């Protein structure tokens, strides 16, 4: 009786559970499984892209989208580099990850008929590209793909979620706005009645992120997503052009016209940073020009983001760092700024430049006894021209860091050195332009001590004097910043001979004193010999990574404490700083228009088209 009583609760529980599962097997239920990701075809048309493919393919590898729901359509032809070999190597190793791969290589010919160079687009080339894009679109439709992603082989999609985000917009044609070094981006806000680009006031607020969202535009290009589930997408075509099309034969314009005739509105989204791409080079440019332009895009990514890594499925190209003809390249870095050091070292490595890292003097770690033991005395009556304060500890450390380099140059007898700080960004074609400048200076036997390659020009009332017969060089007037400069052996000796530690002022005030261009005569009178021969590259070759007031701006020189009183802070309100306002004014006015320009300057425009 006790045993039967004990079994009763168990039987009742089993009976209740049986009812919940259903008497018949088909009545049992379980949670529904999630939907499969939509099917996507990614179309890659790559020509002479060996310089960009490792990073581009690395970005494709990192897309956070199920690869078994992606099909790759890859075509390459008319190459003079090893684009085909790189793509083949990559596809062999990744093909099993993807749902489907279509591979269309052509080794011959290497150029189009009547083509003037690899960057020249003639009618045959446009028509060929349109036919390839149409073939890729046809394949996507044949295999019942849900989406069709067009992406050029030098577009770096840094946001791995970009596909998901574009799909969530739910538009037939939508592009992620891509960043570039200029006003240029992958959309138009205006188009003429003949299909040409038209400037509109709507463009720059979108490009500069003053307006954020998804915006209706007449044209997107380079990278965009087409939703093939939309009924209107059936009327989209790259080739042949619409029967009523009479504009220029250009693949992006033909597709934009097709969208217009299909009543499909194109959109561009800029809520986030989705990726980067280079500004197109001129038609007469070489593949080397294009490779260096793309390299600059890679370097710009690293200003605010971790460095891009190449695909692990392609063989890396060896780097051969050099010093560009300098006897030494010094890079100043505070030990506690390891992030800046790592970024700069990677940036220099990608440009194949070697440097010596110089440990900066940390002014914040100096006390009054340290300063006195080094025999340092401040220039009497010195006050910061913007804030009326004495020298800061950060400025003291900055001066000592540069002073130690001048001393090393003199001790080692280095005829030509380059000095750079760790918070700069490089202009496009930096290495070639600086090498050319150094070569011209040497060929023309210019007598020089200091040549700025990055500075803030303070005197803007009249142009600086250009140097006759030399490209991109002016005689330096009153300037701030020591971002980057060339220093000769005789220049270093002149600076040391002035014994600046006994009458110290900020280094970017000291240098104009030494070349006799400082506006405060009382400062100059303290230094008897002011014969430094100072020049500047024009346009400049390096700029700060951040300006005063920018998000992420950190200054170890100015946002510290007064050198002899740690209770006096100098971290001013940057939003209302006179220095910020002055800097903004100078950015537009400090240009020298009568300088002899090199051909490279014509290929580094910063326009929106």
């Amino acid at each position: 009786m006790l045993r039967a009583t004990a079994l009763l609760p168990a039987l009742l529980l089993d009976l209740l559970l049986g009812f919940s599962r259903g008497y018949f097997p088909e009545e049992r239920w379980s949670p529904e499984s999630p939907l499969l990701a939509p099917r996507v075809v990614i179309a890659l048309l790559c020509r002479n892209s060996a310089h960009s493919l490792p990073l581009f393919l690395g970005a494709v590898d990192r897309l956070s989208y199920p690869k078994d729901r992606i099909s790759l359509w890859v075509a390459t032809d008319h190459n003079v580099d090893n684009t085909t070999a790189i793509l083949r190597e990559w596809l062999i190793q990744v093909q099993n990850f993807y749902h489907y791969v279509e591979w269309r290589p052509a080794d011959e010919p290497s150029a189009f008929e009547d083509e003037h160079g690899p960057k020249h687009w003639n009618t045959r080339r446009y028509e060929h590209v349109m036919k390839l894009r149409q073939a890729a679109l046809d394949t996507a439709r044949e295999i019942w793909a849900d989406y069709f992603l067009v992406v050029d082989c030098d577009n770096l999609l840094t946001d791995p979620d970009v596909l998901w985000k574009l799909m969530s917009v739910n538009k037939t044609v939508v592009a992620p706005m891509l960043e570039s070094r200029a006003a240029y981006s992958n959309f138009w806000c205006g188009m003429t009645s003949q299909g040409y680009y038209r400037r509109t006031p709507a463009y720059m607020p979108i490009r500069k992120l003053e307006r954020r969202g998804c915006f209706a535009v007449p044209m997107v290009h380079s990278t965009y997503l087409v939703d093939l589930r939309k009924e209107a997408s059936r009327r989209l075509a790259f080739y042949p052009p619409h029967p009523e099309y009479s504009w220029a034969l250009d693949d992006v314009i033909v597709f934009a016209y097709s969208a217009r005739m299909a009543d499909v509105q194109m959109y561009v989204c800029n809520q986030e940073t989705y990726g980067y791409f280079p500004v197109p080079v001129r038609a007469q440019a070489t593949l080397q020009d294009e490779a260096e332009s793309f390299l600059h895009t890679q370097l710009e990514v690293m200003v605010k983001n971790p460095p891009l890594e190449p695909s692990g499925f392609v063989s890396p190209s060896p780097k051969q760092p050099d010093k560009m003809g300098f006897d030494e390249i010094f890079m100043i870095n505070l030990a506690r700024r390891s992030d800046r050091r790592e970024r700069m070292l990677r940036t220099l490595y990608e440009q194949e430049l070697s440097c010596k890292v110089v440990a900066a003097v940390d002014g914040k770690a100096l006390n009054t006894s340290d300063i006195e033991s080094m025999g340092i005395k401040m220039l009497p009556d010195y006050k910061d021209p913007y804030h009326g304060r004495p020298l800061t500890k950060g400025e003291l450390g900055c001066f000592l860091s540069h002073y130690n380099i001048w001393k090393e140059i003199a001790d080692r007898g280095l005829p030509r050195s380059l000095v750079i700080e760790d918070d700069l960004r490089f202009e496009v074609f930096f290495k070639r332009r600086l090498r050319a400048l150094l070569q011209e200076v040497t060929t023309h036997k210019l007598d020089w001590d200091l040549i700025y390659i990055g500075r803030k020009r303070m005197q803007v009332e009249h142009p600086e004097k250009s140097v006759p017969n030399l490209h991109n060089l002016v005689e330096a007037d009153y300037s701030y910043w020591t971002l980057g400069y060339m220093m000769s052996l005789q220049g270093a000796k002149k600076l040391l001979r002035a014994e600046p530690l006994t009458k110290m002022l900020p280094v970017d005030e000291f240098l104009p004193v030494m070349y006799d261009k400082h506006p405060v005569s009382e400062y100059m009178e303290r230094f008897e010999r002011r014969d430094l021969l100072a020049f500047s590259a024009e346009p400049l070759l390096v700029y700060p990574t951040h300006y005063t007031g920018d998000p992420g701006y950190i200054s170890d020189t100015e946002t510290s404490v007064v050198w002899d009183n740690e209770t006096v802070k100098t971290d001013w309100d940057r939003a209302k700083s006179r220095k910020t306002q002055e800097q903004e004014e100078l950015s537009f006015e400090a240009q020298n228009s009568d300088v002899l320009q090199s051909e490279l300057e014509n290929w580094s425009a910063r326009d929106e088209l």
Side-chain angles (χ1 to χ4, degrees), residues 168-187:
S168 69
V169 176
N170 193 27
K171 302 296 183 184
T172 307
V173 179
V174 60
M177 192 189 80
L178 299 179
E179 297 286 339
S180 79
R181 64 179 175 82
Y184 178 76
S185 191
N186 60 321
F187 69 99

Side-chain angles (χ1 to χ4, degrees), residues 50-56 59 62 154-158 179-181 275-279 290-311 317 319 342-352 424-429:
H51 60 278
S52 62
L53 278 176
L55 289 180
F56 169 78
R62 289 186 291 273
D154 59 358
N155 291 194
L156 299 173
L157 300 178
T158 54
E179 297 286 339
S180 79
R181 64 179 175 82
Y276 297 75
F277 72 153
V279 175
E290 186 177 40
E292 292 182 26
S293 177
F294 178 80
L295 171 62
H296 183 262
T297 301
Q298 178 187 357
L299 303 183
E300 286 293 284
V301 172
M302 286 192 279
V303 171
K304 298 180 181 179
N305 306 277
L308 290 172
E309 300 299 338
S311 172
S317 299
K319 302 281 188 184
E342 291 168 5
R343 185 192 71 84
M344 277 297 295
L345 288 176
R346 179 65 179 267
T347 299
L348 293 170
Y349 171 77
E350 295 297 343
Q351 297 179 91
E352 299 190 75
L424 57 80
R425 67 203 307 167
F426 296 90
E427 262 290 67
V428 64
F429 304 124

Side-chain angles (χ1 to χ4, degrees), residues 72 81 118 144 173 206 229 311 361 370 380 448 461 497 536 550 555 570 585 598:
L72 298 175
D81 64 5
W144 299 99
V173 179
I206 297 174
R229 303 170 307 167
S311 172
V361 176
D370 296 328
W448 65 277
E461 294 179 358
R497 185 183 62 201
S536 176
D550 280 354
S555 172
T570 61
E585 294 167 4
S598 69

